[in-house]
Amino acid sequence: MPELPEVETTRRGLAPHLEGHRVDSVKVRQRQLRWAVEKGLEKCIVGAKILRLERRAKYLLVHTERGCAIWHLGMSGSLRLVGAEVPPEKHDHIDWVLDSGLVLRYRDPRRFGALLWTESDPTSHQLLAHLGPEPLSDNFSGDHLFAASRGRRQSVKTLIMDGRIVVGVGNIYASESLFLAGIRPDRIAGTISRARYRRLADAIRQVLARAIEQGGTTLRDFIGGDGQPGYFAQELNVYSRTGLPCPRCGRPVRDMVLGQRNTFFCRNCQR
């Protein structure tokens, strides 16, 4: 599933080719995505000038002079730029034809993604209004995590994966951040000290920034907006490495299930 770094990679790859251009036409081949594509959405977008691309959590916001398109890539979605001569394939559900001649094409084999439209502030949309701070922003800190964790009996891993606490820390990056901070993923959130949460916040920022720098973590069928896969997967320390040696101590990486998600850690290095 595309996570924050993959969506940010997509934004950075697409922005130079979309910002300042107009949408000449829109073709919706499949409306039944996670939420049905609104009928009449084409009329809202056609002829509109794209002002800027932003990201909020795992959502890509395409601001135009008429309103904002909210894309969610779901489990298997991707946005890519192709030439107008490239024929759509089976899972290519939406095309935006730009005045440059390029086509912004949305592919989603599982159809768990979405394209929504709003003429209001997108951050007040029901899908975004409840979200926590961005992990790479000044609003996120170890003190924030410490305050949010008080009295909570859930595991620290499920805490940092809660989008109401902090956005964009998916399963891969939660496991990697906890490893870097030396914290067991099943530790009770409310028992962890302020100092350790500060280390964890620093680790989250470091892991996500590195993943963005490397172009996101390519798993299964995600492809970035520039058509190139990411390479952060080559640097994973514990995620999906059960039985392989820990890069710090050499002991086997373990796994467990937390919150119905596979979780990977080192019993020796994480306490």
Side-chain angles (χ1 to χ4, degrees):
M1 176 178 180
E3 300 285 359
L4 183 153
E6 286 84 2
V7 179
E8 179 62 19
T9 299
T10 297
R11 186 196 69 79
R12 294 183 184 188
L14 295 178
H17 304 283
L18 268 63
E19 292 176 350
H21 289 279
R22 292 189 181 275
V23 182
D24 282 348
S25 63
V26 174
K27 176 66 174 178
V28 181
R29 302 181 188 86
Q30 173 58 262
R31 294 188 181 273
Q32 299 307 310
L33 303 178
R34 182 174 183 180
W35 300 288
V37 178
E38 180 182 353
K39 292 184 177 180
L41 178 132
E42 294 92 329
K43 294 181 180 180
C44 297
I45 300 174
V46 171
K49 182 179 180 179
I50 298 173
L51 303 178
R52 67 188 186 279
L53 270 66
E54 292 184 332
R55 179 195 51 75
R56 179 66 171 116
K58 301 175 187 178
Y59 295 91
L60 185 68
L61 310 180
V62 184
H63 295 271
T64 77
E65 57 191 354
R66 296 180 186 168
C68 183
I70 303 174
W71 287 94
H72 191 279
L73 302 182
M75 295 292 291
S76 60
S78 65
L79 285 165
R80 1 177 237 134
L81 289 164
V82 299
E85 75 283 356
V86 177
E89 298 181 6
K90 178 180 179 181
H91 301 297
D92 293 338
H93 303 314
I94 301 173
D95 280 359
W96 288 14
V97 181
L98 307 175
D99 59 7
S100 64
L102 291 175
V103 177
L104 177 65
R105 179 161 290 168
Y106 178 63
R107 173 175 293 177
D108 190 352
R110 299 186 185 182
R111 290 194 284 159
F112 286 163
L115 172 59
L116 306 170
W117 177 261
T118 181
E119 295 180 358
S120 303
D121 178 2
T123 61
S124 64
H125 191 279
Q126 60 180 348
L127 293 176
L128 281 68
H130 68 284
L131 295 176
E134 291 283 334
L136 300 178
S137 74
D138 292 338
N139 295 325
F140 176 67
S141 67
D143 292 336
H144 166 75
L145 289 179
F146 178 77
S149 68
R150 295 308 87 186
R152 291 181 180 260
R153 300 294 301 170
Q154 70 190 114
S155 70
V156 62
K157 180 168 181 278
T158 58
L159 177 84
I160 64 174
M161 289 183 64
D162 185 339
R164 296 166 296 182
I165 304 298
V166 57
V167 301
V169 185
N171 196 30
I172 298 170
Y173 303 108
S175 291
E176 292 296 307
S177 298
L178 287 163
F179 173 77
L180 191 62
I183 300 173
R184 274 184 65 112
D186 57 347
R187 280 287 305 273
I188 301 300
T191 67
I192 297 174
S193 69
R194 185 187 299 271
R196 299 196 81 195
Y197 270 121
R198 287 175 175 171
R199 289 199 295 272
L200 178 56
D202 288 343
I204 289 171
R205 282 191 288 266
Q206 181 176 336
V207 167
L208 290 175
R210 182 60 175 162
I212 292 169
E213 179 183 343
Q214 294 294 316
T217 303
T218 298
L219 297 176
R220 300 187 178 92
D221 48 15
F222 178 77
I223 298 177
D226 61 357
Q228 299 298 317
Y231 299 100
F232 185 73
Q234 297 177 5
E235 299 185 359
L236 295 176
N237 291 302
V238 290
Y239 184 84
S240 196
R241 289 176 54 85
T242 303
L244 296 176
C246 168
R248 285 181 179 168
C249 70
R251 297 186 182 182
V253 171
R254 304 297 185 102
D255 64 75
M256 66 172 76
V257 176
L258 288 174
Q260 299 181 332
R261 299 290 189 92
N262 288 332
T263 300
F264 306 90
F265 68 104
C266 175
R267 181 179 293 179
N268 184 55
C269 295
Q270 294 173 252
R271 302 298 177 93

